[in-house]
Amino acid sequence: MMLLLAGYCVLIVAASFCGGWLPFAVELTHRRLQMMISMVGGLMLGIGMFHMLPHAVVAMGPGSLDRAVAWMMLGLLVMFFLIRMFHFHQHDVHIVHAMPDTGQPDGCVVHEHGQNHTHAHQHAVPNHVLSQHAHKPAHPWSWFGVAVGLALHTLIDGVALGASIQADEGHPVLWSLYGFGTFAAIFLHKPLDAISITSIMAAGGWSAGWRHAVNGGFALMCPLGAVLFVTGVDRFAEYQSVLIGGALAFAAGVFVCISLGDLLPELEFHAHDRLKLSAMLLLGVAAAYAIGFLEPAHFHRTPIGSAVDTNEGGQSAR
């Protein structure tokens, strides 16, 4: 299990690094970014509803649906207020390239959603052309709140990954890929978070070295959360099932909040691409549902550590 967790964490860290580097290597357009967000948002929504919540109920045992939903609501509200406090969940590429002569930021400017949102230009600004729109330069420390919020979010993702692996362990899963659905959602979502941090730092004039350093620290938050949960839950073996179930349900609320935070603005601001974005959303949800076929048919009704589920009369549940 620890080897699998280590492998997942290495891949997630690599995805975060690649995400932070991507806007400076290729030209991202607003439409491509939103289509990717819609697909990943659908995947996170499906993982939260199809996998994390049912697994949480199984982990807590029979009659625990109310408790699982309460933990899920708590996770949703915590993430909602984190977003409101730190304003970090904005997958917008602010600045992509630097002007070759001056070294000052220039290039791809992607809109932020707001009351004055407009789509006057749909694609990235070419490298040699300064946007004539009145984009105010970013404050040098405007990235800090984004980084803090995303770091807390990523720490929770690590807890979710550790809980998912713990919940799957001991059950027959294809190729023993415990927690694969949670890993896939985190792996695909981390590059989008890293883009937010590094692009805002570039807009504030920070050097590539500082951007890589901050992105590296951010990337390590997920492994930290996973290790803290896995090592901590072993210290409370008596309450292991309750802790795993509560963590999974809490993470389900976080995933639902994050996914809808990505998806709902698209309904209002992207009417011109509604069919493409809707198709990508459905693709993500379908992928999350398909991951369920990696699990045995009885998994969602077998408590952790038990061969079969039992009712109050002690008879096997069928």
Side-chain angles (χ1 to χ4, degrees):
M1 185 193 72
M2 294 304 295
L3 287 176
L4 179 65
L5 179 61
Y8 283 165
C9 289
V10 168
L11 292 174
I12 290 170
V13 169
S16 297
F17 270 107
C18 289
W21 164 81
L22 185 64
F24 304 91
V26 298
E27 194 171 52
L28 292 178
T29 66
H30 185 62
R31 178 176 285 118
R32 290 173 186 170
L33 191 61
Q34 295 306 316
M35 289 180 67
M36 182 166 54
I37 289 173
S38 292
M39 191 276 287
V40 176
L43 178 67
M44 294 189 73
L45 182 63
I47 293 297
M49 300 302 294
F50 294 146
H51 299 278
M52 287 184 169
L53 181 60
H55 291 185
V57 174
V58 170
M60 291 182 176
S64 62
L65 180 59
D66 289 343
R67 281 185 293 160
V69 172
W71 276 104
M72 181 178 178
M73 179 60 70
L74 179 62
L76 192 154
L77 291 175
V78 167
M79 185 52 56
F80 173 82
F81 285 111
L82 281 176
I83 293 173
R84 173 160 287 186
M85 182 182 301
F86 293 105
H87 304 285
F88 63 84
H89 212 249
Q90 45 180 347
H91 295 312
D92 298 316
V93 179
H94 294 257
I95 301 291
V96 169
H97 297 287
M99 295 176 64
D101 296 332
T102 65
Q104 295 301 314
D106 182 29
C108 176
V109 180
V110 176
H111 310 281
E112 293 185 25
H113 293 311
Q115 293 180 347
N116 298 321
H117 179 93
T118 179
H119 280 279
H121 50 284
Q122 295 290 337
H123 299 284
V125 181
N127 296 343
H128 62 279
V129 178
L130 270 173
S131 173
Q132 298 302 315
H133 299 271
H135 293 290
K136 296 181 179 179
H139 188 277
W141 289 96
S142 60
W143 61 270
F144 187 75
V146 174
V148 171
L150 286 174
L152 292 173
H153 161 38
T154 304
L155 192 69
I156 295 172
D157 283 345
V159 171
L161 181 62
S164 295
I165 292 176
Q166 288 272 28
D168 285 1
E169 190 183 21
H171 295 272
V173 178
L174 184 63
W175 300 327
S176 296
L177 293 177
Y178 307 127
F180 179 76
T182 304
F183 159 73
I186 297 172
F187 177 79
L188 293 174
H189 194 257
K190 285 306 104 182
L192 300 175
D193 291 342
I195 285 174
S196 299
I197 295 174
T198 57
S199 62
I200 295 175
M201 290 186 71
W206 290 82
S207 67
W210 276 107
R211 295 197 301 266
H212 292 321
V214 172
N215 190 30
F218 161 72
L220 292 175
M221 295 302 292
C222 185
L224 177 62
V227 170
L228 287 176
F229 180 82
V230 171
T231 56
V233 76
D234 288 338
R235 296 178 179 272
F236 302 94
E238 183 179 355
Y239 305 101
Q240 187 176 51
S241 294
V242 175
L243 291 174
I244 292 173
L248 282 174
F250 184 91
V254 170
F255 271 42
V256 170
C257 183
I258 290 294
S259 64
L260 294 182
D262 282 337
L263 297 174
L264 290 180
E266 310 311 311
L267 300 177
E268 181 177 357
F269 295 119
H270 294 87
H272 53 288
D273 281 333
R274 62 165 63 96
L275 292 179
K276 293 180 180 179
L277 295 177
S278 298
M280 295 302 291
L281 163 66
L282 293 176
L283 177 63
V285 172
Y289 184 79
I291 290 173
F293 290 101
L294 297 175
E295 303 168 349
H298 66 276
F299 182 78
H300 284 188
R301 63 176 184 270
T302 303
I304 291 176
S306 302
V308 294
D309 190 7
T310 57
N311 57 24
E312 293 182 357
Q315 297 177 344
S316 297
R318 296 182 183 275

